Amino acid sequence: MLFQVGGQGTRPTFFEMAAAQQLPSSLRSALAYSLGVMALRRPILHKVLDYEDEFFALLMLVLETHSVRTTDASFAESLYGLRRRAVKIKMKKDDLRSDSTDGIQLSGLGKNQRVLSVVFLVVLPYFKSKLHSIYNKERESALHASLWGSSDERFEDTDYLDTAGSPVDQSRISDADLSSRARILRGAKRLIGVCYPLIHAGHEGATFAYQLLYLLDATGFYSLGLQALGIHVCRATGQELMDASSRISRMRSRERERLQGPPWLKKIQGAFLTSMYAVLDYAQTGLIAAVFIFKMMEWWYQSAEERMSAPTIYPPPPPPPAPRVAKEGIQLPSNRTICPLCSEKRANPSVVTVSGYVFCYGCIFKYISQYKRCPVTLIPAEVEDVRRLFHDM
């Protein structure tokens, strides 16, 4: 399965290269999240999460080795229909003003370039991830020490009995035996804590510079690693895809011919090779499809659980019935804009909250101050129950 992005010629666009570069990290995040969810019901998977860096590095080592060996491309690059080609630049003195791409010759990868490609794709990211985790731990410990002080400072004022043969002396002797190794490890961690920010900043700066130059078409190398290896990433043509398929078939037929042993053993080895080839061939689409299906099922069940656990929303209750007009009370006029007390159009309309009827503010204020009730319903009321209305109906 190939994802072809727009563009002309054999030079990939910046977006193709960026997508291919970001795919492994996205795949790792998705796999870690999937394993974390499954570990809730299968606690044994927590051991895999404890060694997340090693597990993912081993997985990518298998996939990248197979991809570089068969397609001359990384796992992500082959998914986007890209291929790696060795660069040979031949410049002539009289052609200095000509286009810089005229003297570039592309060829297949050599054995050393394939091995180094796997190193740059798997080994170096693994070491960078480990350095990043060590740096984070050192930063947290330094922050903790700055807030609470180190363990040595907290216990240095404690008085111990300095007697021969005491447990304190034995612990000091054991600490002295381990002090050399612990000191070396502690020094190495401190060195990483000091140097890693500079190394990380330099790497990110170089990556940004190469990506910017690639975007501006000022260089054919997308990263510093590709230039160090002398490799250009190009689009694969239809003929190259057909040649790669035939080359893979020849490689696998030669591997089957090298099988040794009795016929029954060759059959078992052949079946094992066939199954291994099938797993490796469909690893690209299989991993991505599995993660996609898992995320879709998680969304589906999560939305169903939210619907089941959501509280039942009932319709709002109807308003209570309006208070009845008392027989001894003032009768309401037919025109709702007329004040029942002064029989004129309301001025500064105000409502009596205990009954809900509206009057002029001056009329109702005087009435309630004197009679302590609503003039229509005769319900007891106070001056505090009068509220001004800013929108008269």
Side-chain angles (χ1 to χ4, degrees), residues 41 298-310:
R41 295 190 176 184
E298 183 196 21
W299 168 81
W300 178 266
Y301 286 109
Q302 184 177 3
S303 60
E305 291 177 358
E306 290 178 353
R307 290 194 300 268
M308 295 176 62
S309 60

Side-chain angles (χ1 to χ4, degrees), residues 9 30 34 39 108 137 184 371:
S34 303
K137 292 180 181 179
I184 293 174
Y371 297 102

Side-chain angles (χ1 to χ4, degrees), residues 36-49:
V37 174
M38 290 187 291
L40 298 176
R41 295 190 176 184
R42 299 292 184 270
I44 194 173
L45 294 177
H46 284 290
K47 296 182 179 179
V48 178
L49 295 176

Side-chain angles (χ1 to χ4, degrees), residues 159-219:
D159 295 331
Y160 294 98
L161 295 176
D162 191 7
T163 57
S166 63
V168 176
D169 292 335
Q170 296 177 1
S171 62
R172 289 178 179 175
I173 294 174
S174 61
D175 293 341
D177 295 337
L178 299 176
S179 62
S180 59
R181 181 180 179 184
R183 194 179 300 110
I184 293 174
L185 292 177
R186 183 60 182 170
K189 290 181 179 179
R190 289 181 178 177
L191 182 63
I192 292 173
V194 174
C195 297
Y196 177 77
L198 301 176
I199 298 173
H200 181 70
H203 175 265
E204 293 297 325
T207 301
F208 175 76
Y210 270 88
Q211 291 179 359
L212 181 61
L213 292 174
Y214 188 87
L215 180 63
L216 298 176
D217 201 9
T219 181

